[in-house]
Amino acid sequence: MTLEIRNLHAVIKATDQEILSGIDLTIPNGEIHAIMGPNGTGKSTLAQTIMGYPAYQITAGTIRFDGQDVLQRSVDQRAKLGLFLGMQYPAEISGVNNADFLRAAMHATTPDNPISVLEFMQQLENNMNYLEMDDEIAERYLNVGFSGGEKKRNEILQMMMLQPKLAILDEIDSGLDIDALKVVAKGINHLRSEKFSSLLITHYERLLEYVVPDVVHIMVAGKIVKSGGPQLAQQLEQTGYHKFEVTREFS
Amino acid sequence: MDMEQIAKQIITFSRDNNEPTWLTTKKSLAWSQVKNKLNENELTMLTKTWIESVKLKANVAKQVQPKFDLSKIVKLDLGVALQIYPELLQENLMEKALAWQADSLSALHLALLTSGQFVYVPSGFRAVRPLMINDKNAANNYHILIIVGAGAQVDLVEQINVAAQTGAYLGTEILLGSGAQVNYYQVDQSKSIQHYQAVHAYQAQNSNLKMYLTLFNRGNQNYDVNIDLDGDHSQATVKMVAIADQEQAQKVTTRINNYGQKTNGVIEQNGVAKDKSKIDFHAVGKIFHGAHGAQSNQHSRLLTLSKQSHGQVDPVLLIEENDVEAGHAASIGKIDEDQLYYLQTRGIDRKQAYYLLTKGFLLPVLNEIPNETLKNKAVAQLQQRLQ
Ligand SMILES: Nc1ncnc2c1ncn2[C@@H]1O[C@H](COP(=O)(O)OP(=O)(O)OP(=O)(O)O)[C@@H](O)[C@H]1O
Ligand SMILES: [Mg+2]
């Protein structure tokens, strides 16, 4: 279940502006990687491109997951392959009940293995308890009026219910208080196994203290400029991105 | 068409069904007024369709023993009610809420009327369970008169299920006495190819009417809602959900007239047009001279699901007073791409995502239906219609 991205270039369809300028990234099965980088550098764009967001156009490169050509597939087919994206800004959808939506999603991703209503309710309750979420969240319209923290927990809840093979979590830690951050980290660690890999996009080293990554990548201006172990994140905390921006100009 | 022949048939039908003389006279008058206007529009087609029922004496009300009792809820065949409560009906049938003189269609509706129902909720009566009004054998020209007495409270459910045929007209009129409180829920699942539906209400002071109208029918439709807020402090809310698909055309006009002081009218129209269908929403709020402190608000939203589906929302506020509050909002939109994408990232395919979002667009309106059983029924019917 390795994710392999080779020389990925992507532009914004509307403006033709290039955001991703040759990304190379491999996430082997069972590993957790983190991407850090300054604002506007293309981290969310990378996450959305992997998932198939229609505003971006791939101009070069490949994405493979488990040997399959990801770019040939529609968004929902990518989810069915086992990809999951916890979004930086999850959509609010009025009129769609959170629990109904989850059930529809589970049904869609595991059509051969339909889960009974009772099983579903039990799993939902267990996971919500695990994430210390209010019961009423399940019956509310999807993300509508959720606080920032509730939205993020709801993304993690979906991840736990859908059990993807690779979860890309885009700033899952932003806007969370310390307790919530621990809860979310607990959720991610709960899935951690040799069958699960994850890509964490974050600005803060703190998340990476709770979910210790195997590899940390630094992304600047649409490229990965450096990769290293967890200590790279600590180092960044001290130095900031300036050094990498300069390095890149000369390289 | 032989106009004189039809005039005779109207009289014969009326007599054979023991209708009161005033009705025979009124029907003849209505016919004489409308017969010269038949070539103007679709009325000719309707006349041809409806005249069959008149010839057949489709709804023969036998002579009944008058046992006059208005202390309980009355729910009767209109023909029977005409014999038992002639005065009450003379005063109210197509006079106050859906006036037969108002236009040619209404006049024709009365002239060729063969069947319907009469519902009476006595003053002060508080109905515990919703009152169901449906007639599986509703003829193609059908009238329902509902009178809710002063201070009475009732939930009314009208289920419309006309079979596939051309040219059906269903007229419903609701009269609310002072302080009456009515929740009226109508589901229209008719299959008639051309369907006319009128729902009119007349409200006395302090009365409160909440209408939930679901247009889940399959054919072309002209739908006409009219509410007269006559008494001071009367209020009405109309919440509507409409769906059109294939080549269907829905033309909907909702009008609330504020006559009384401090009256309050709210119109909310929500529509989804699929395939090559069309929905036109006209909303009119009129505040008449003298209606001090009145309020009129409207909100129309249309969701077009395909390139070929289309529609109009056309909000109108007509205001003759100064010290009033009025506002409107209208929108025509498509499915939100980011919402669609979000659902797809969870493995839900495009078709299913469209279904969920469409349902989500209309569901919040249905969720406001005060009665739990009815609400669940409405949601089930919505699901059925969207599939
Ligand atoms: N749909 C879009 N339309 C226009 N510009 C876009 C769009 N998507 C991304 N961009 C631009 O592309 C650049 C990269 O954006 P992206 O969201 O990927 O950055 P990021 O690294 O995730 O930043 P942050 O840390 O602030 O979340 C930004 O300049 C952004 O404004
Ligand atoms: Mg971002």
Side-chain angles (χ1 to χ4, degrees):
Chain A
M1 301 297 162
T2 303
L3 178 77
E4 288 176 277
I5 300 175
R6 291 286 162 271
N7 188 35
L8 187 70
H9 289 255
V11 299
I12 298 166
K13 269 186 200 162
T15 59
D16 229 17
Q17 185 196 350
E18 185 170 271
I19 305 297
L20 303 181
S21 311
I23 299 276
D24 284 291
L25 177 66
T26 303
I27 305 179
N29 206 6
E31 286 191 10
I32 290 189
H33 288 213
I35 290 191
M36 303 183 83
N39 294 129
T41 207
K43 301 181 298 297
S44 294
T45 304
L46 173 62
Q48 299 283 21
T49 302
I50 297 170
M51 211 62 212
Y53 187 64
Y56 305 121
Q57 173 79 50
I58 317 285
T59 50
T62 56
I63 304 179
R64 294 190 159 268
F65 184 62
D66 193 20
Q68 311 261 14
D69 185 353
V70 170
L71 297 177
Q72 288 302 313
R73 289 165 199 262
S74 64
V75 176
D76 62 290
Q77 284 169 344
R78 294 180 198 198
K80 285 169 189 139
L81 275 184
L83 297 178
F84 178 90
L85 172 58
M87 292 191 207
Q88 186 173 0
Y89 305 108
E92 298 192 2
I93 308 184
S94 173
V96 176
N97 171 291
N98 203 11
D100 290 350
F101 154 71
L102 259 175
R103 205 163 134 65
M106 285 177 79
H107 191 75
T109 45
T110 50
D112 308 328
N113 195 6
I115 169 174
S116 75
V117 181
L118 198 68
E119 270 177 289
F120 170 77
M121 296 303 282
Q122 255 152 19
Q123 276 190 34
L124 184 61
E125 198 187 314
N126 290 346
N127 286 324
M128 285 182 74
N129 285 341
Y130 195 80
L131 296 174
E132 298 168 30
M133 291 170 80
D134 255 358
D135 289 348
E136 52 117 30
I137 289 273
E139 293 310 317
R140 276 169 61 180
Y141 293 148
L142 183 51
N143 294 326
V144 178
F146 285 22
S147 75
E150 283 168 345
K151 279 185 186 159
K152 296 295 161 101
R153 274 188 223 218
N154 204 42
E155 295 289 287
I156 295 296
L157 174 68
Q158 291 172 39
M159 178 183 79
M160 289 179 75
M161 295 294 284
L162 295 174
Q163 307 211 337
K165 296 180 180 122
L166 171 76
I168 303 161
L169 302 174
D170 192 357
E171 295 202 19
I172 200 71
D173 53 341
S174 65
L176 292 183
D177 64 42
I178 298 162
D179 296 333
L181 180 67
K182 285 183 189 164
V183 166
V184 161
K186 192 170 81 165
I188 303 167
N189 285 327
H190 185 76
L191 289 188
R192 203 164 186 170
S193 77
E194 65 277 14
K195 288 196 202 116
F196 173 79
S197 50
S198 184
L199 177 61
L200 307 176
I201 295 171
T202 181
H203 286 296
Y204 307 106
E205 195 264 337
R206 171 165 251 135
L207 173 70
L208 306 181
E209 283 173 22
Y210 296 110
V211 186
V212 180
D214 297 290
V215 183
V216 174
H217 306 276
I218 295 170
M219 181 168 171
V220 176
K223 270 192 166 171
I224 292 188
V225 293
K226 191 171 171 69
S227 305
Q231 77 288 345
L232 190 55
Q234 284 152 23
Q235 193 187 321
L236 267 179
E237 197 90 343
Q238 311 295 321
T239 61
Y241 294 111
H242 184 66
K243 185 173 117 191
F244 299 100
E245 279 162 351
V246 174
T247 320
R248 188 164 182 260
E249 265 167 41
F250 289 109
S251 66
Chain B
M1 271 189 298
D2 183 340
M3 301 297 167
E4 291 317 308
Q5 182 64 24
I6 295 174
K8 278 184 198 147
Q9 280 163 348
I10 289 170
I11 294 170
T12 311
F13 175 90
S14 195
R15 292 212 177 117
D16 287 357
N17 284 283
N18 303 304
E19 289 180 357
T21 332
W22 59 261
L23 185 56
T24 318
T25 313
K26 218 173 181 175
K27 282 183 166 182
S28 296
L29 189 60
W31 175 250
S32 67
Q33 286 186 10
V34 78
K35 68 180 180 195
N36 301 323
K37 298 177 184 154
L38 289 184
N39 46 0
E40 282 173 14
N41 45 32
E42 72 275 36
L43 294 178
T44 310
M45 183 271 287
L46 295 178
T47 308
K48 282 182 182 150
T49 318
W50 299 349
I51 195 70
E52 294 310 312
S53 312
V54 175
K55 278 188 205 156
L56 291 170
K57 296 198 293 178
N59 170 54
V60 181
K62 291 194 196 77
Q63 194 149 15
V64 287
Q65 291 301 320
K67 44 177 194 328
F68 191 92
D69 182 5
L70 286 176
S71 64
K72 297 192 201 76
I73 283 195
V74 171
K75 200 177 127 209
L76 286 175
D77 177 86
L78 189 64
V80 174
L82 277 161
Q83 295 181 55
I84 305 180
Y85 308 104
E87 286 87 20
L88 191 61
L89 271 79
Q90 181 170 15
E91 201 181 315
N92 293 301
L93 181 66
M94 294 201 74
E95 291 294 342
K96 287 187 179 150
L98 209 177
W100 68 271
Q101 302 98 322
D103 52 63
S104 305
L105 183 60
S106 304
L108 188 67
H109 171 60
L110 177 68
L112 301 179
L113 189 64
T114 52
S115 58
Q117 283 192 64
F118 172 66
V119 174
Y120 181 88
V121 183
S123 295
F125 192 94
R126 290 176 181 214
V128 194
R129 249 171 279 136
L131 189 63
M132 313 299 279
I133 306 165
N134 59 349
D135 191 339
K136 295 235 163 60
N137 308 310
N140 48 27
N141 184 27
Y142 197 82
H143 190 89
I144 297 173
L145 171 64
I146 300 165
I147 300 177
V148 182
Q153 286 180 17
V154 67
D155 289 359
L156 298 164
V157 184
E158 186 181 346
Q159 175 103 27
I160 297 171
N161 228 324
V162 186
Q165 59 183 334
T166 45
Y169 180 104
L170 278 82
T172 300
E173 49 181 345
I174 313 174
L175 309 177
L176 281 80
S178 60
Q181 293 190 33
V182 175
N183 292 315
Y184 171 82
Y185 166 54
Q186 186 194 73
V187 56
D188 184 354
Q189 295 179 305
S190 61
K191 297 183 186 71
S192 51
I193 295 151
Q194 179 67 48
H195 191 60
Y196 297 83
Q197 178 79 47
V199 187
H200 286 206
Y202 170 91
Q203 297 188 232
Q205 62 185 8
N206 295 317
S207 63
N208 189 349
L209 173 64
K210 291 201 177 90
M211 279 192 176
Y212 302 89
L213 309 171
T214 57
L215 283 65
F216 295 158
N217 59 306
R218 301 271 173 182
N220 293 338
Q221 170 152 269
N222 278 40
Y223 200 98
D224 159 41
V225 183
N226 188 90
I227 295 173
D228 291 329
L229 296 174
D230 199 49
D232 294 347
H233 297 274
S234 56
Q235 39 184 304
T237 307
V238 178
K239 302 215 169 193
M240 178 185 292
V241 165
I243 297 171
D245 60 7
Q246 296 171 18
E247 314 251 303
Q248 207 181 343
Q250 300 263 26
K251 190 162 176 275
V252 182
T253 305
T254 306
R255 181 179 174 116
I256 298 185
N257 297 307
N258 299 64
Y259 294 103
Q261 294 187 15
K262 302 242 164 95
T263 48
N264 187 354
V266 178
I267 298 171
E268 196 188 301
Q269 297 171 312
N270 302 276
V272 173
K274 296 164 81 172
D275 310 325
K276 295 180 176 172
S277 67
K278 182 173 197 288
I279 295 181
D280 288 343
F281 278 145
H282 305 279
V284 183
K286 175 150 186 179
I287 299 182
F288 283 80
H289 189 68
H292 298 284
Q295 292 180 43
S296 177
N297 281 289
Q298 39 181 276
H299 192 165
S300 301
R301 301 188 306 155
L302 194 59
L303 184 65
T304 51
L305 290 187
S306 66
K307 283 210 180 75
Q308 295 104 314
S309 64
H310 56 133
Q312 280 179 35
V313 294
D314 167 22
V316 178
L317 288 169
L318 304 164
I319 296 170
E320 296 178 352
E321 264 315 332
N322 291 321
D323 53 342
V324 301
E325 264 181 63
H328 61 71
S331 66
I332 301 183
K334 296 182 172 48
I335 288 279
D336 182 297
E337 286 296 327
D338 282 340
Q339 294 184 346
L340 189 63
Y341 170 69
Y342 188 80
L343 296 179
Q344 288 175 305
T345 62
R346 286 0 180 198
I348 295 167
D349 67 28
R350 204 177 161 82
K351 190 160 171 261
Q352 173 81 357
Y354 256 79
Y355 168 75
L356 288 173
L357 292 173
T358 310
K359 193 175 123 187
F361 181 77
L362 300 175
L363 202 64
V365 189
L366 300 184
N367 276 338
E368 288 175 38
I369 295 178
N371 180 295
E372 199 67 21
T373 318
L374 293 182
K375 182 172 84 187
N376 294 338
K377 198 172 159 188
V379 172
Q381 280 159 336
L382 170 69
Q383 256 153 293
Q384 205 179 45
R385 183 63 183 85
L386 284 175
Q387 246 123 45

